[in-house]
Amino acid sequence: QVHNSLHRSAMKYGKRNAEMQARMEAFADNFIKYKDMKKKINDIVECYKEGGCCAPGSSSPKQRSRLMQAGCRQEFMVLLETSQEHVFKFMDESITRLNERLVSTMQRIAAPMENNERVLEDASAELAGFCRDTENIALFAYHNTKGFRKVLKKYSKKVGVDLAPLMIHQFREQELAWDDAFYQMVVAFGDAHKALRASFERQASGSSAWKPPASFERTTRKYLVQIRDIRKVELLIAEHLPVLVIGRKAVSAGTVPDDFLHVSKEAWISSVYFDDNDFSLYHGRIKRDEGARLFRLRWYGHFREPPDDGEVFVERKTHHESWVQESSVKERFALRCDKVQSYLTGVYHHSESKEKSALIGTSLADEIQSEIMEKELKAKVRTVYKRTAFQRTDSNAVRISIDTDLSFVDEAVYSANGDYWCQPVPTGGFQSNQIVTFPWAVLEIKLTEGQPDWIEQLLGSGLIHELHKFSKFAHGIASFQEASGKLTVMPYWHERLKDLEGGSYDLASGFGFPVCVTVGDSPARHGGDQSLSTGTSTIGDMENSDRPTAPTPQLHLRRRLQAKARRWRRRMTLPGSGKNEGAQVEKGGVPKRPAKIEPKTFFANERTFVQWISSVLSLVAVSLGLQGLGDFIKNDVITWVGVILNVMAVMWMCYALYIYLHRLRKIKRADPHGWDLYLGPVMLVVILGAICVMGTLSLLATHYAAGTITWTVAAEPLLASAGCAISRRTDFPELDIEPSGLVYHPQRRSVFVVSQGMMYELPEAGGAPLAAYAMPGLDLEGVAFDPAIPNRIIVAHEGTARQSGRLHSVNLSTSEVGLFMDFENVTGLESFRPEAISFCPVSVCGGGSAHYMVAGTDRKVHVIRVETDPIRAQSHQGILIESFDATSMLCRLAGRCKEQINKLSGLSVTDDAIHVINDDDTRELWIFRLNTTSSTRSISSVDIHRLPNVPGWEGIIVRDIPDAAGSAGGSFTVTLASDDMAFISEFKLTASEGLISRCASVPTV
């Protein structure tokens, strides 16, 4: 984003031209007359429109228009040619003066002298000045040639006449000539510094011969350089490393080379890369698969195809990952050009050659030939570039190469015909769709030892931008085959570099790092510290001339501290964090390098995921334990803490899965950024801490506010009493009795009560159980009795979160328990979870099949008709007959329309009423009276009675109490069961007095 904003906001050339002239005041008169030529182009356009600006004396309008147009064009051409000659002349004169200065300095260094140290310091300052002026002239040449191209483009666009074919050839010839001159100056500049270093080293300790080691290992890193910065980078490198010219004669110290300023230009390097039709080699190299291979043909010295007797190298590169403990391998052998085509087709075998080297066996040639034929490899892309190499002759610690004029040629279409192994260069050049030019230079740094300080300064200058594992082969394939649909992956740098082609001046300017270094600050003189002099220049201030020419101790100290700080930041910066290399990349606009992908990276991601899941399982265990504890001791605070922790565990598990998949995608994309996700862990800690604090505070508040929980029955209306307890917890053999449903069996004169997994038969008057029926695994909430079948009891199982409720039957004779009905099979009640059940008399629900009423968490009372299931003979089929909402009925009959209840916990049906328990905070008994005067039953009114202030009322039995004459006297016996307090009490219910105790005295529970 930083780069894109710079790219979009790049200033226009006209404004930049004025700024450059202001900076280079000494060169201002020699700049391209861009503003004048732009104005002249606008005048030509006006001539076309108006016909009266250039030749006012013409006789006819048509003749006057033609004369005016010709005059305008003639004036523009004169101005263009004059400006062109002026720039060309200035460049030739400047190059000549620079060459003379460099020759003079070299002669002073090479000449014998008495006061050697003083002379060498002066020569060092002269070379620094030469470096500065050469950079300025190179930038002048780049800027003005770019201006001429823009003028021709503007002329073609506005006037409609393309002058490029006429003029561009002259510009190109001059550019090539200047390019050769600058190259020779860079070589000579390196020679001068080499001689200067040799003189200093002789004074310091004398010279010693260096012998190259038999074997060594190198680390290689690749960078991109903008075209306008090439000379600047070359001069900086040449100050420390001379240009390596193949075949050049060695020169002894103290002498000027014979070819000083006359070294031939860099050699062309051409390579043809092979792949199959599916581009499997390309994909292997891009993904950096272990053992991925690359095949190419390479030749030197020609950008066209080599002559028949020329030498072509057949190369195979094999990539090895670091985890296999092997280094990547590059193998090659030489082959005559006229044998290449027959070698690729299998007609010629390398073993037939009589000139093969004894050092290279035929096995490599045979292996490569068989692989090319088996995989049906064809030429796909060609690369052509010029290479300048830098390396000292007395050390191989540092080797740097710069590849310029890089172009890619599409060989895929031509090689499909199979006529020849590479495409001949046409006379007029390749078509635009066959060739892609690379608008950057590729710099490669190879180190065998530590990184010198001047390399660190080069890396921090902003002139070069790292492009990790850049591949010319991959970039060429991606450039030509992007739209073919055959490539599944693209190089990480490809799209970004496409956006950067033709980048602006502001792309990487203003870094403020020195470019040239004087040899006067050599290691021999400053104890190994190679500092920079103040006579250097930067992109921002290189045109200024009022600079000191001698280094100061304060400047040396400041730069040493800066170098140490940069080294410390590199050590402390984590790989892929983007805090060191990312800064250069952001300013330079080059994509960041990807992280190296190894199998252990995937394993580490999986181990991290497993560790997260282990923590989640521990949290789940704690949460389930707290829920069980809270349920056992009847503490809602602990239960809710456990529930919240369980929800937190699920969220944590989902976050762990997200992190695993997120990092897996980053590993596959080789993305080095965005790994440090801190929001998730922070949120987990905050939420867990909040849960712990809230749970602790709630427990403390409950403890100090409530103290010991007791219910005391006072001698006041029975609204606060617990009735007459006919059965207590101590009457049962198990301490976890939780009575949740009651039913009276008139034939056996006993009460059946259900609890968690158990059903007990109690005496009518209360006391210890007469019988117990075990039903393990069933959460029993209600019990009912059909008078027509006295030997069977129906119990209601609440179900689970994944299972709907069920009704089970208990045979009182055999104690057998069987499935009676599954609510999942009842239409309309598929997910119903019953809390209470009661048999519905014939007087209320009608005859025929048996009917039951059930109530639960949906606040409704449902009427179900039970029939024998024709498919499952052992079970019954339920049919939902009718339902009514208790809260809606309460609103209509009693005007209480704001009731919000959780569930109906008790249900009992008599001949004229439906009794429902609401055990929320109000703790009420609702009696819905039925209309018995008509043949159909309907609810006509509702009575509301407060229940005793005891939690957990769930079971209810309503029976008539006979009067002295033996008939019903209008009062009832109501038996209630408390789930929470684990006791059963009896009350007397009258219309006038409500619920009153049946005991002589009110007990304390």
Side-chain angles (χ1 to χ4, degrees):
Q1 293 175 351
V2 172
H3 163 67
N4 288 338
S5 62
L6 287 173
H7 194 65
R8 287 191 298 266
S9 62
M11 67 177 64
K12 294 184 177 181
Y13 180 82
K15 187 176 180 181
R16 182 65 180 178
N17 186 55
E19 181 181 313
M20 292 288 290
Q21 291 186 43
R23 289 185 179 182
M24 299 182 180
E25 294 182 3
F27 307 156
D29 296 337
N30 301 289
F31 269 80
I32 178 177
K33 307 303 180 183
Y34 180 79
K35 186 176 181 180
D36 295 341
M37 285 189 285
K38 181 179 177 182
K39 183 178 182 302
K40 186 60 63 177
I41 293 175
N42 293 332
D43 291 343
I44 296 175
V45 175
E46 292 298 325
C47 285
Y48 278 112
K49 292 181 179 180
E50 300 177 4
C53 65
C54 296
S58 302
S59 58
S60 64
K62 182 179 294 187
Q63 182 182 5
R64 185 169 62 250
S65 176
R66 286 198 299 268
L67 291 175
M68 286 187 297
Q69 295 167 9
C72 291
R73 289 198 300 269
Q74 182 64 28
E75 290 181 11
F76 172 79
M77 292 302 298
V78 170
L79 182 60
L80 176 63
E81 293 175 356
T82 303
S83 181
Q84 174 186 336
E85 292 175 0
H86 197 62
V87 171
F88 290 175
K89 181 180 179 181
F90 173 76
M91 282 296 302
D92 294 339
E93 294 175 351
S94 299
I95 291 174
T96 301
R97 287 195 298 268
L98 289 173
N99 288 340
E100 292 174 353
R101 290 172 55 185
L102 193 56
V103 171
S104 175
T105 303
M106 185 63 182
Q107 290 175 347
R108 294 181 59 186
I109 297 174
M113 49 196 123
E114 296 180 359
N115 191 6
N116 196 24
E117 183 176 355
R118 178 65 178 273
V119 174
L120 293 180
E121 288 180 354
D122 294 341
S124 176
E126 291 176 3
L127 288 177
F130 172 84
C131 174
R132 179 172 61 253
D133 294 338
T134 304
E135 293 167 4
N136 291 343
I137 294 300
L139 185 59
F140 175 88
Y142 175 82
H143 178 76
N144 282 273
T145 53
K146 184 175 182 179
F148 282 120
R149 284 191 171 87
K150 283 189 171 292
V151 166
L152 294 179
K153 182 178 179 181
K154 188 179 294 291
Y155 186 89
S156 175
K157 179 179 179 181
K158 290 192 174 184
V159 179
V161 179
D162 189 6
L163 298 179
L166 301 176
M167 307 296 296
I168 203 66
H169 181 67
Q170 301 178 23
F171 295 148
R172 184 57 180 165
E173 285 185 350
Q174 285 296 326
E175 284 181 325
L176 292 176
W178 297 341
D179 194 42
D180 290 341
F182 281 126
Y183 173 75
Q184 293 171 4
M185 281 191 284
V186 170
V187 176
F189 184 75
D191 293 339
H193 271 284
K194 178 182 177 182
L196 198 59
R197 280 193 302 271
S199 299
F200 273 117
E201 290 169 0
R202 283 198 308 272
Q203 283 194 348
S205 58
S207 60
S208 59
W210 174 79
K211 295 181 180 180
S215 61
F216 54 89
E217 292 185 359
R218 280 175 171 169
T219 59
T220 303
R221 301 175 75 176
K222 295 183 179 181
Y223 303 84
L224 295 187
V225 184
Q226 291 191 25
I227 300 300
R228 70 186 184 94
D229 295 329
I230 291 177
R231 300 307 170 197
K232 192 184 302 293
V233 173
E234 287 180 340
L235 289 171
L236 176 57
I237 299 172
E239 186 168 358
H240 304 276
L241 295 177
V243 178
L244 182 62
V245 181
I246 303 300
R248 192 183 189 192
K249 294 182 180 180
V251 179
S252 60
T255 60
V256 180
D258 296 335
D259 57 355
F260 191 74
L261 285 175
H262 297 286
V263 178
S264 60
K265 190 66 177 79
E266 313 101 305
W268 288 93
I269 300 178
S270 301
S271 301
V272 175
Y273 293 89
F274 288 77
D275 208 335
D276 57 20
N277 291 330
D278 295 328
F279 298 96
S280 58
L281 300 186
Y282 161 85
H283 289 102
R285 298 290 294 189
I286 286 293
K287 297 176 182 178
R288 300 174 65 189
D289 294 337
E290 166 56 29
R293 288 186 169 178
L294 179 148
F295 298 90
R296 72 185 177 195
L297 302 179
R298 170 168 287 186
W299 65 96
Y300 301 89
H302 306 275
F303 66 89
R304 296 180 181 272
E305 60 276 9
D308 291 342
D309 59 347
E311 193 174 44
V312 176
F313 291 94
V314 183
E315 298 183 358
R316 179 180 68 184
K317 298 177 70 174
T318 306
H319 170 72
H320 291 297
E321 292 289 299
S322 59
W323 54 271
V324 299
Q325 303 299 320
E326 291 186 27
S327 300
S328 298
V329 180
K330 176 181 176 181
E331 306 164 288
R332 73 177 188 173
F333 67 93
L335 193 65
R336 278 175 56 97
C337 179
D338 56 357
K339 302 294 185 183
V340 172
Q341 182 66 22
S342 57
Y343 171 80
L344 296 175
T345 57
V347 177
Y348 171 79
H349 297 279
H350 191 58
S351 58
E352 301 174 2
S353 175
K354 299 179 180 180
E355 300 177 358
K356 63 180 183 295
S357 174
L359 299 177
I360 302 178
T362 59
S363 58
L364 175 61
D366 294 340
E367 289 177 9
I368 295 177
Q369 186 179 41
S370 61
E371 286 190 68
I372 291 176
M373 297 182 65
E374 288 175 4
K375 297 178 180 180
E376 298 182 355
L377 303 182
K378 301 291 183 181
K380 296 299 180 182
V381 67
R382 183 199 304 189
T383 62
V384 183
Y385 53 89
K386 291 182 289 187
R387 169 166 291 180
T388 304
F390 300 84
Q391 182 178 342
R392 293 179 60 167
T393 57
D394 58 351
S395 173
N396 68 338
V398 182
R399 176 184 170 89
I400 299 178
S401 63
I402 300 181
D403 297 337
T404 57
D405 295 332
L406 174 59
S407 299
F408 301 90
V409 180
D410 187 7
E411 296 277 355
V413 178
Y414 183 80
S415 63
N417 300 327
D419 296 334
Y420 196 60
W421 58 276
C422 74
Q423 182 177 182
V425 178
T427 304
F430 291 104
Q431 298 295 326
S432 59
N433 61 342
Q434 293 180 292
I435 187 169
V436 173
T437 57
F438 194 66
W440 301 71
V442 180
L443 183 141
E444 190 171 354
I445 299 178
K446 297 181 179 180
L447 303 174
T448 59
E449 300 175 0
Q451 185 165 276
D453 289 343
W454 67 271
I455 292 289
E456 292 188 6
Q457 294 160 4
L458 175 63
L459 297 178
S461 67
L463 298 174
I464 65 176
H465 316 286
E466 184 173 9
L467 199 60
H468 185 65
K469 295 298 181 182
F470 174 75
S471 169
K472 299 183 184 72
F473 164 64
H475 188 80
I477 293 293
S479 299
F480 293 115
Q481 302 298 329
E482 181 179 6
S484 65
K486 296 182 179 180
L487 305 184
T488 59
V489 293
M490 298 291 290
Y492 73 93
W493 64 82
H494 182 67
E495 288 298 326
R496 189 66 184 277
L497 289 186
K498 284 173 58 180
D499 298 336
L500 295 177
E501 291 183 4
S504 65
Y505 279 105
D506 293 335
L507 190 59
S509 61
F511 285 86
F513 282 85
V515 175
C516 299
V517 183
T518 61
V519 183
D521 300 311
S522 63
R525 297 189 50 181
H526 295 284
D529 177 66
Q530 193 137 352
S531 304
L532 302 177
S533 80
T534 57
T536 61
S537 60
T538 65
I539 300 176
D541 64 358
M542 64 185 175
E543 296 83 8
N544 299 329
S545 58
D546 53 345
R547 286 182 292 245
T549 58
T552 62
Q554 294 82 359
L555 184 63
H556 288 317
L557 177 61
R558 183 174 73 251
R559 287 171 177 163
R560 283 198 297 270
L561 292 176
Q562 290 174 350
K564 290 181 179 179
R566 286 193 297 272
R567 290 194 296 270
W568 177 254
R569 286 195 300 268
R570 285 193 183 93
R571 296 191 190 102
M572 297 304 294
T573 302
L574 295 176
S577 64
K579 299 192 181 200
N580 183 25
E581 298 168 349
Q584 299 177 15
V585 169
E586 289 290 348
K587 293 179 181 179
V590 179
K592 301 176 178 64
R593 68 177 185 181
K596 189 175 181 66
I597 303 177
E598 296 181 358
K600 63 182 181 182
T601 308
F602 294 93
F603 302 152
N605 189 33
E606 292 175 356
R607 285 195 302 270
T608 304
F609 176 69
V610 171
Q611 291 175 356
W612 281 75
I613 294 299
S614 300
S615 302
V616 169
L617 292 178
S618 301
L619 187 61
V620 169
V622 172
S623 66
L624 293 179
L626 289 177
Q627 292 180 62
L629 177 63
D631 188 59
F632 179 75
I633 65 175
K634 306 301 178 184
N635 192 310
D636 292 338
V637 174
I638 296 179
T639 302
W640 276 108
V641 169
V643 171
I644 296 175
L645 285 178
N646 206 359
V647 174
M648 191 67 215
V650 175
M651 295 172 58
W652 194 345
M653 181 169 57
C654 295
Y655 178 74
L657 180 61
Y658 165 76
I659 289 295
Y660 170 76
L661 297 176
H662 172 73
R663 290 176 175 170
L664 184 62
R665 288 192 296 269
K666 284 189 169 293
I667 291 172
K668 291 182 177 180
R669 293 198 304 260
D671 188 353
H673 304 294
W675 296 83
D676 49 345
L677 300 178
Y678 58 88
L679 181 60
V682 171
M683 293 300 297
L684 288 175
V685 171
V686 170
I687 295 176
L688 287 175
I691 292 173
C692 294
V693 172
M694 291 173 57
T696 303
L697 293 178
S698 299
L699 288 174
L700 292 175
T702 302
H703 175 74
Y704 288 108
T708 303
I709 301 176
T710 58
W711 283 268
T712 302
V713 180
E716 56 187 22
L718 217 61
L719 294 178
S721 69
C724 180
I726 65 172
S727 181
R728 297 179 176 85
R729 182 185 294 272
T730 55
D731 296 330
F732 296 90
E734 298 182 12
L735 295 180
D736 61 346
I737 176 66
E738 298 176 358
S740 55
L742 295 172
V743 68
Y744 179 69
H745 199 299
Q747 286 89 340
R748 300 171 71 102
R749 301 186 66 83
S750 59
V751 176
F752 286 87
V753 56
V754 292
S755 180
Q756 183 73 29
M758 293 292 295
M759 183 178 72
Y760 299 97
E761 183 179 7
L762 306 179
E764 180 181 13
L770 301 175
Y773 303 87
M775 285 169 274
L778 300 182
D779 185 8
L780 303 180
E781 294 292 340
V783 59
F785 163 69
D786 185 358
I789 309 176
N791 203 35
R792 185 181 67 184
I793 296 294
I794 304 299
V795 295
H797 167 49
E798 184 180 12
T800 62
R802 295 180 298 177
Q803 185 184 47
S804 61
R806 294 181 177 184
L807 299 181
H808 293 267
S809 62
V810 182
N811 191 315
L812 301 180
S813 301
T814 62
S815 300
E816 293 182 359
V817 179
L819 177 64
F820 183 72
M821 187 183 68
D822 192 342
F823 283 101
E824 187 177 9
N825 300 323
V826 179
T827 303
L829 298 177
E830 291 84 354
S831 59
F832 181 70
R833 300 179 66 180
E835 291 287 341
I837 184 173
S838 176
F839 178 76
C840 187
V842 176
S843 59
V844 176
C845 295
S849 301
H851 294 77
Y852 291 88
M853 283 192 181
V854 292
T857 56
D858 59 354
R859 303 175 301 179
K860 293 182 179 180
V861 178
H862 306 281
V863 180
I864 301 175
R865 183 173 73 241
V866 179
E867 298 177 352
T868 302
D869 194 329
I871 299 177
R872 294 176 291 273
Q874 300 298 326
S875 62
H876 294 72
Q877 182 179 6
I879 300 175
L880 179 62
I881 300 300
E882 191 177 357
S883 300
F884 72 89
D885 191 317
T887 56
S888 299
M889 196 65 67
L890 196 68
C891 175
R892 183 168 62 86
L893 298 177
R896 291 173 51 175
C897 301
K898 295 184 179 181
E899 296 292 331
Q900 297 293 333
I901 63 174
N902 294 327
K903 64 179 180 179
L904 304 178
S905 57
L907 180 65
S908 178
V909 184
T910 59
D911 289 336
D912 58 353
I914 302 174
H915 304 76
V916 178
I917 293 179
N918 169 28
D919 191 42
D920 283 350
D921 295 336
T922 55
R923 295 192 177 94
E924 293 176 337
L925 172 63
W926 299 338
I927 303 177
F928 294 98
R929 301 293 181 181
L930 301 176
N931 182 8
T932 59
T933 59
S934 62
S935 58
T936 60
R937 295 291 183 261
S938 61
I939 298 175
S940 58
S941 62
V942 60
D943 296 337
I944 302 175
H945 299 278
R946 292 289 303 275
L947 294 176
N949 191 21
V950 174
W953 295 117
E954 291 201 2
I956 179 172
I957 300 174
V958 181
R959 292 180 291 158
D960 291 339
I961 301 178
D963 56 11
S967 60
S971 60
F972 303 89
T973 296
V974 177
T975 306
L976 299 176
S978 174
D979 184 306
D980 290 355
M981 301 306 298
F983 70 90
I984 303 172
S985 298
E986 281 193 351
F987 302 86
K988 180 180 180 181
L989 176 63
T990 62
S992 58
E993 300 179 70
L995 289 173
I996 59 175
S997 175
R998 294 195 63 187
C999 296
S1001 61
V1002 178
T1004 298
V1005 181

